Amino acid sequence: MRTFPKGLQLGVATAAYQIEGAWNTADKTPHIWDTMCHNNPESIKDRTNADDACKSFEFYKRDIEMLKFLGVQFYRFSISWTRVLPTGFANKISETGYEYYNNIINDLVALNIEPVVTMYHWDLPQNLQDLGGWANPLIVEWFGDYTRVLYKLFGDRVKTWITINEPKQIGLFGYGGKRMAPQLNASGVGEYLAAKNLVLAHARAWHIYDEEFRDVQKGVCGITIASDFRDAVTDSAEDVEAGLDAVQFEIGLYSHPIFSSKGGFPDRVVKRVAAKSAEQGYSRSRLPEFTLEEIEYVKGTSDFYGFNHYSTRFYTRDTYKSGSNPIPSYDDDIGADFTYLDYEKGALPHVTVIPHGIRKALKWVKDNCNNPPIFITENGFGTFGGLKDPERISYYIKYLDSILDAIEIDGCNVTRYTAWSLMDNFEWDSGLSIKFGLFEVDFNDEKKKRTARSSAVWYKKLIATRLLDYNINVTELEEHVF
Ligand code: BGC
């Protein structure tokens, strides 16, 4: 058994589109996921959408009962932009949207559960997308205006703000590819444009908090970056180089401008994309540059490093053949193949169980990002269902053990751990069929009945005892229905 350090807070997370439903209730307007799921249902593996999802808009009080049952110290959830600002702009605040989030925040505070609020978890107002979305540099101001509204409405009670969840996924899958909304598929160009504007928009939101609210509200504001580790298949010089390149493309592109002393995009990425772009006949690099002023504006704009982590990939250039990816593309720019090797699999490749990878990733953040306070804002395991979930408990135990190594042996400053997710929800392009919940949700039930899995009972005990017990005891399943 191992004890959790006093300074490590334990919580759970969800995101608005994945749980709320009520996609067109009151004056809420559609966002890019509403549009994509309605217009192109074949983009979602099981052709479901999140029009209803867990119906948390209606049943949030039951979610709060579940949080109470678990005994979490904080709850990370996200605010849906169009629910609060139906035009996307700050000219009109929805009374219904305001009340919904205001009630959740008040209920949490009353129970001494800290609200940790993500302001953008992928649901961009459709009308802002029609104006270019994250590809339009003006979004830096639009996002800033939206965040100012949130600080004003809720900042007296919300003390931890996350600006943007996972810029990589937004740009790479939504602008460079078509796996996610808005399915722009501008391969090799869109993902880099979005990366620049996302980083700048994050910085704008941080500066607004810092200049206009921090003195009075006394909270913190930061970004969450997908930090699945990227390693080398073997220790050959070429593989090691491939691993180092991959980690900079996949994590450094977003962390380097914000957390490094030098600022700007990482050298490895700048060089590779510039060289490839020149070879391909472009007049300039497909990776846009930051101006010197922008570099300074962005540097140091996160009070903590929000760290999402699920698994690790291993890279090699040994087998890589040019032309195996579209040209131009982000994958071709990295120019390497990857594998999850022979580790235990979950329901999606990105939950392959590689616990030592989280320790490496935390150490990488410590060494490359000026040893920031790290909030693990997501970590969890996806299955195809079942109330007894020893494989999820086992994943959590192994990863938490590795996190404790990172804290105790490597000196990483980890102060929060967040299990993804409170309950089953709409898993983006995988739909409702992939389950990440500590609580099972019956999506066929009108009331979206929630039932505690073995992992919920296990996490409750862990939070109460603050001990990491290596025994997985799922023989008696307690009945806890919400
Ligand atoms: C996202 C979550 C998602 C989770 C599991 C993360 O990339 O932030 O919204 O459900 O991974 O795939």
Side-chain angles (χ1 to χ4, degrees):
M1 289 215 208
R2 283 174 95 165
T3 310
F4 288 103
K6 275 212 182 64
L8 181 67
Q9 300 206 333
L10 302 168
V12 288
T14 60
Y17 183 58
Q18 295 181 274
I19 64 162
E20 287 177 358
W23 74 278
N24 61 355
T25 291
D27 46 359
K28 180 183 169 292
T29 59
H31 53 61
I32 55 176
W33 277 88
D34 292 322
T35 306
M36 166 174 155
C37 293
H38 292 159
N39 296 355
N40 297 319
E42 69 287 349
S43 307
I44 309 299
K45 278 188 202 104
D46 60 3
R47 297 181 72 97
T48 55
N49 59 46
D51 286 359
D52 288 338
C54 311
K55 288 198 176 169
S56 285
F57 182 78
E58 201 175 329
F59 299 133
Y60 73 90
K61 290 222 179 261
R62 287 161 51 205
D63 301 349
I64 291 175
E65 287 302 310
M66 285 141 66
L67 298 168
K68 217 161 95 182
F69 168 87
L70 291 173
V72 288
Q73 292 170 283
F74 65 90
Y75 176 40
R76 174 183 178 224
F77 63 96
S78 84
I79 290 182
S80 179
W81 191 333
T82 54
R83 202 179 284 293
V84 177
L85 300 180
T87 69
F89 296 105
N91 61 319
K92 180 175 173 265
I93 296 171
S94 159
E95 192 53 36
T96 312
Y98 162 73
E99 265 172 29
Y100 172 60
Y101 295 112
N102 202 50
N103 289 339
I104 296 178
I105 292 165
N106 283 342
D107 284 8
L108 291 173
V109 172
L111 289 167
N112 213 9
I113 299 173
E114 195 206 334
V116 170
V117 174
T118 309
M119 297 186 278
Y120 185 75
H121 201 124
W122 305 1
D123 42 3
L124 193 74
Q126 183 57 47
N127 69 319
L128 299 187
Q129 186 59 54
D130 295 342
L131 298 169
W134 293 107
N136 184 338
L138 287 175
I139 199 162
V140 175
E141 296 307 330
W142 304 336
F143 183 65
D145 294 344
Y146 162 58
T147 64
R148 183 185 286 106
V149 168
L150 298 187
Y151 302 143
K152 268 194 200 146
L153 294 178
F154 306 124
D156 56 336
R157 288 150 294 152
V158 174
K159 303 299 166 192
T160 305
W161 294 102
I162 295 167
T163 55
I164 291 168
N165 180 70
E166 298 189 343
K168 181 190 101 177
Q169 277 68 1
I170 299 166
L172 183 61
F173 302 142
Y175 287 73
K178 55 179 178 183
R179 216 183 111 185
M180 293 191 169
Q183 303 188 291
L184 229 63
N185 211 16
S187 177
V189 176
E191 56 274 70
Y192 298 127
L193 252 182
K196 180 177 173 184
N197 293 328
L198 282 156
V199 163
L200 285 171
H202 153 77
R204 183 80 195 105
W206 184 89
H207 278 288
I208 291 173
Y209 191 71
D210 197 50
E211 285 154 27
E212 302 172 29
F213 297 92
R214 189 193 295 277
D215 276 358
V216 174
Q217 299 188 347
K218 303 199 184 336
V220 290
C221 177
I223 189 168
T224 280
I225 297 174
S227 304
D228 279 16
F229 198 59
R230 281 26 186 150
D231 214 333
V233 172
T234 70
D235 52 14
S236 77
E238 294 82 49
D239 282 6
V240 169
E241 276 300 302
L244 291 173
D245 284 341
V247 90
Q248 291 298 346
F249 269 85
E250 297 264 279
I251 308 178
L253 197 57
Y254 316 94
S255 66
H256 196 270
I258 299 168
F259 293 94
S260 73
S261 311
K262 187 174 171 221
F265 286 131
D267 285 345
R268 280 179 184 270
V269 181
V270 171
K271 282 193 192 132
R272 282 194 75 86
V273 183
K276 289 262 181 182
S277 304
E279 255 170 51
Q280 293 156 358
Y282 288 87
S283 324
R284 58 182 60 81
S285 177
R286 288 177 277 101
L287 179 69
E289 284 174 18
F290 285 113
T291 64
L292 287 177
E293 204 187 325
E294 287 169 340
I295 290 177
E296 289 308 316
Y297 188 74
V298 169
K299 254 195 323 189
T301 58
S302 198
D303 302 323
F304 56 84
Y305 186 110
F307 176 101
N308 284 359
H309 183 101
Y310 291 88
S311 190
T312 293
R313 282 180 188 171
F314 301 89
Y315 283 75
T316 181
R317 291 215 165 96
D318 233 23
T319 45
Y320 189 74
K321 285 191 199 67
S322 175
S324 59
N325 285 304
I327 296 175
S329 70
Y330 171 89
D331 289 326
D332 180 65
D333 291 338
I334 298 177
D337 289 321
F338 66 81
T339 152
Y340 287 95
L341 295 176
D342 235 355
Y343 289 93
E344 185 192 332
K345 306 271 178 280
L348 293 169
H350 80 259
V351 296
T352 303
V353 189
I354 311 178
H356 70 273
I358 198 167
R359 178 174 171 189
K360 284 199 173 183
L362 289 166
K363 179 76 165 44
W364 185 92
V365 170
K366 179 188 179 201
D367 295 343
N368 290 274
C369 300
N370 277 318
N371 191 15
I374 300 176
F375 295 178
I376 298 178
T377 41
E378 277 179 39
N379 176 233
F381 187 69
T383 68
F384 296 107
L387 278 176
K388 284 191 181 178
D389 54 350
E391 61 291 17
R392 177 173 287 109
I393 301 177
S394 159
Y395 174 100
Y396 277 125
I397 292 176
K398 288 176 185 157
Y399 273 70
L400 281 163
D401 196 42
S402 193
I403 291 164
L404 288 176
D405 285 344
I407 298 173
E408 291 166 8
I409 304 170
D410 305 333
C412 297
N413 185 10
V414 182
T415 57
R416 283 186 199 271
Y417 176 81
T418 319
W420 182 273
S421 177
L422 171 63
M423 61 188 152
D424 294 342
N425 54 50
F426 183 75
E427 178 51 29
W428 307 112
D429 60 325
S430 298
L432 295 171
S433 53
I434 304 287
K435 321 284 184 182
F436 274 88
L438 296 174
F439 288 81
E440 176 191 82
V441 176
D442 181 354
F443 292 109
N444 295 320
D445 173 36
E446 262 303 293
K447 293 236 145 64
K448 311 293 168 190
K449 180 171 106 177
R450 292 111 155 95
T451 309
R453 290 209 167 94
S454 333
S455 56
V457 176
W458 167 83
Y459 198 46
K460 174 187 172 68
K461 187 167 159 221
L462 178 142
I463 295 171
T465 59
R466 298 192 60 87
L467 287 175
L468 184 63
D469 182 346
Y470 297 96
N471 288 318
I472 305 173
N473 184 0
V474 293
T475 43
E476 345 90 72
L477 194 66
E478 302 169 25
E479 258 279 295
H480 297 284
V481 176
F482 292 84

